[in-house]
Amino acid sequence: MKYKAIFFDRDGVLIDGNPRKREWLHSTVAQWSGKPFEEISYDKMMDFFHLASEGKKPWYRNIDDEREFFRRYYRHLLEWQGVTENLDRRARLLFDELWCKSGILFPETVEVLEYFQSRGYQMGVISDTSPSLEYTLQVLGIAKYFTSFTASSLVGAEKPSPIIFNAALAAQGVTAQESLYVDDYKPEADGAREQGFTSFLMDRGGTESGEWVIHNLKELIDFVEK
């Protein structure tokens, strides 16, 4: 077998956003504020993140830090949306409903993971995310397929830095040349390829094409079976 390991980005590759959770957030907050939910820009979201950090860097060092951080985050979100009553209780309700529970699996995710696991591949996840990376996949029932979870917040570097890719390789005891990788962000897919991975760009929208572009995880099976 040419490859020993396969690594996946999480969001956009293994899981998608859950529209029902988004709808619930919008309708719930609108009911509390008495006005339509105001869409949150990236810059505004980062403002909430900085407020929730209370001046600490990094924002969270472990999953307990992250829980407290996001309870504060949701409180700031509610204040900005014009909610004035029962802020702590309502922020906790948002946290309980949304934290690590806002994703859904793409239709082919489990089938593809089953395929690679049954053929002896080592599998890991590499994601620019918080310490709850493994927990989010436990919630979705797919953590059992992976033997490493490499989160940028714990490594101290984001993709496409070689630091995070090397941390993932070390966790599995493999080389980049022995590994496949999939990411839905081109600079990160390209960065992995520059490190020696056989790396694919996931383009679920069908706008990209090329030798190293895939539109569905099942195309990885086609690749290794050639």
Side-chain angles (χ1 to χ4, degrees), residues 66-83:
E66 185 183 342
R67 288 188 180 98
E68 293 305 315
F69 174 92
F70 275 100
R71 291 185 183 111
R72 295 192 296 270
Y73 169 88
Y74 286 121
R75 195 181 196 282
H76 290 300
L77 182 153
L78 289 174
E79 288 179 324
W80 182 73
Q81 291 285 347
V83 179

Side-chain angles (χ1 to χ4, degrees), residues 16-226:
D16 195 8
N18 187 338
R20 290 186 178 182
K21 293 289 187 178
R22 177 183 174 86
E23 291 166 7
W24 178 87
L25 171 65
H26 288 196
S27 62
T28 300
V29 174
Q31 182 180 3
W32 292 340
S33 67
K35 63 184 182 66
F37 185 91
E38 186 170 348
E39 290 292 344
I40 301 168
S41 68
Y42 176 81
D43 288 342
K44 179 54 65 175
M45 180 179 68
M46 294 308 298
D47 287 344
F48 299 153
F49 270 56
H50 288 298
L51 288 169
S53 74
E54 297 182 336
K56 297 177 183 176
K57 290 186 178 180
W59 293 337
Y60 23 61
R61 297 178 183 276
N62 53 54
I63 199 166
D64 290 330
D65 283 351
E66 185 183 342
R67 288 188 180 98
E68 293 305 315
F69 174 92
F70 275 100
R71 291 185 183 111
R72 295 192 296 270
Y73 169 88
Y74 286 121
R75 195 181 196 282
H76 290 300
L77 182 153
L78 289 174
E79 288 179 324
W80 182 73
Q81 291 285 347
V83 179
T84 59
E85 297 179 355
N86 303 314
L87 282 168
D88 288 334
R89 180 178 64 80
R90 286 170 167 171
R92 180 175 289 273
L93 178 61
L94 294 190
F95 174 86
D96 290 343
E97 183 70 25
L98 300 173
W99 181 70
C100 297
K101 299 172 185 175
S102 295
I104 55 175
L105 298 176
F106 285 107
E108 80 278 12
T109 295
V110 170
E111 178 184 347
V112 172
L113 295 178
E114 288 276 359
Y115 173 91
F116 284 104
Q117 184 182 68
S118 69
R119 285 157 178 77
Y121 285 80
Q122 299 165 232
M123 289 191 285
V125 183
I126 309 173
S127 183
D128 289 341
T129 191
S130 51
S132 61
L133 172 59
E134 181 176 359
Y135 178 67
T136 61
L137 300 178
Q138 289 173 350
V139 170
L140 290 166
I142 61 170
K144 62 186 178 182
Y145 294 105
F146 303 104
T147 50
S148 67
F149 305 87
T150 307
S152 60
S153 58
L154 299 179
V155 173
E158 296 183 346
K159 296 176 290 182
S161 167
I163 293 171
I164 190 169
F165 289 122
N166 288 334
L169 292 169
Q172 296 285 7
V174 295
T175 67
Q177 290 71 25
E178 296 171 323
S179 304
L180 300 164
Y181 179 65
V182 189
D183 202 299
D184 68 329
Y185 184 44
K186 190 175 188 300
E188 296 175 359
D190 291 347
R193 194 174 305 109
E194 290 169 4
Q195 297 303 310
F197 289 80
T198 297
S199 178
F200 295 89
L201 172 66
M202 171 62 77
D203 171 38
R204 292 187 178 274
T207 60
E208 300 283 342
S209 62
E211 182 181 7
W212 304 113
V213 176
I214 61 174
H215 308 290
N216 185 296
L217 287 174
K218 288 184 180 181
E219 293 177 53
L220 295 173
I221 297 175
D222 297 335
F223 176 82
V224 299
E225 288 188 344
K226 287 179 182 178

